[in-house]
Amino acid sequence: MFRPLVLIGISEHQLQMDNDLISESVVERQELRMSDNPNESLNEDSYFPVNTVPECARLIQEVNKVIQEVVHPDLKTVNQWAHILEPNEQTMFHHHGTATHMPGISWVYYTEAPLNSGNIVWTFEANAQRMTEEAVPEVGKLILFGQNVPHFTKKNNSGKRRISISGNAFFEQGPPRDFDPGMLLNYVGLFRG
């Protein structure tokens, strides 16, 4: 019986949001960091005002709607943050995996994305080769990908800031033992629970 060893992918979607309002809300709170530790990637991220700005809450609702329609109906965003990438900055290599090995989806949405502001790059090794795939940030673009896929962003060479909102979607109670992963496997690949 054939059993694939590697199967992971991404998908891109367009959302219609008030991106200027979301960006303004993020910039107002940019000093509220997700972590004070300068050695971890959450230090690059800021609080996203999902509970106080209705358009930010609507973004999370729209993201969840896409995830539930495209990937799996039981997935829901459990955390989210904002990321302001100033000129000449880049985002360090990281992934959003958890110690529980629970399958999930990570996502990124762009509210400001000037040309040459730093593509997102996924990288992993397969079949003794380093594989990379990248996507160009664009205002209104939502990208879904497996939470365990390592990624980074290239240097922002635009001369302007780039603003993105990111998050992770999981099964709230964890997947049942006999659940049908459906399209989730196209993003997270094979996993052993």
Side-chain angles (χ1 to χ4, degrees), residues 43-54:
N43 181 259
E44 301 172 345
D45 304 321
S46 300
Y47 170 76
F48 184 62
V50 68
N51 295 322
T52 56
V53 179

Side-chain angles (χ1 to χ4, degrees), residues 10-166:
I10 66 168
S11 63
E12 298 180 12
H13 312 269
Q14 281 299 128
L15 300 180
Q16 300 299 316
M17 306 298 302
D18 185 341
N19 293 304
D20 292 338
L21 177 59
I22 294 172
S23 289
E24 179 182 306
S25 300
V26 166
V27 170
E28 287 176 1
R29 295 161 177 83
Q30 69 182 343
E31 299 304 319
L32 298 173
R33 297 289 179 184
M34 299 298 289
S35 170
D36 292 329
N37 183 346
N39 296 317
E40 61 180 52
S41 64
L42 287 177
N43 181 259
E44 301 172 345
D45 304 321
S46 300
Y47 170 76
F48 184 62
V50 68
N51 295 322
T52 56
V53 179
E55 190 67 1
C56 293
R58 190 171 84 83
L59 172 62
I60 302 305
Q61 290 171 345
E62 292 299 313
V63 168
N64 281 332
K65 183 177 173 183
V66 171
I67 290 171
Q68 291 164 358
E69 288 175 359
V70 173
V71 184
H72 198 283
D74 296 327
L75 289 170
K76 184 177 178 185
T77 296
V78 297
N79 58 359
Q80 61 277 315
W81 57 90
H83 187 76
I84 300 172
L85 194 69
E86 297 292 348
N88 300 313
E89 291 182 344
Q90 63 188 60
T91 304
M92 70 172 63
F93 183 78
H94 67 285
H95 64 81
H96 300 187
T98 66
T100 63
H101 305 291
M102 182 188 313
I105 292 293
S106 292
W107 56 267
V108 60
Y109 176 78
Y110 298 96
T111 60
E112 290 184 20
L115 190 63
N116 297 319
S117 62
N119 291 359
I120 183 170
V121 180
W122 297 270
T123 183
F124 55 94
E125 289 190 15
N127 202 23
Q129 295 182 36
R130 167 96 28 209
M131 312 296 285
T132 62
E133 184 66 33
E134 60 187 84
V136 177
E138 298 171 12
V139 172
K141 181 188 278 187
L142 169 68
I143 303 174
L144 307 179
F145 56 97
Q147 55 147 35
N148 287 317
V149 182
H151 56 283
F152 65 94
T153 64
K154 291 183 172 180
K155 184 178 175 182
N156 179 353
N157 290 316
S158 70
K160 300 176 183 175
R161 71 181 179 209
R162 188 192 77 208
I163 297 180
S164 59
I165 314 305
S166 298

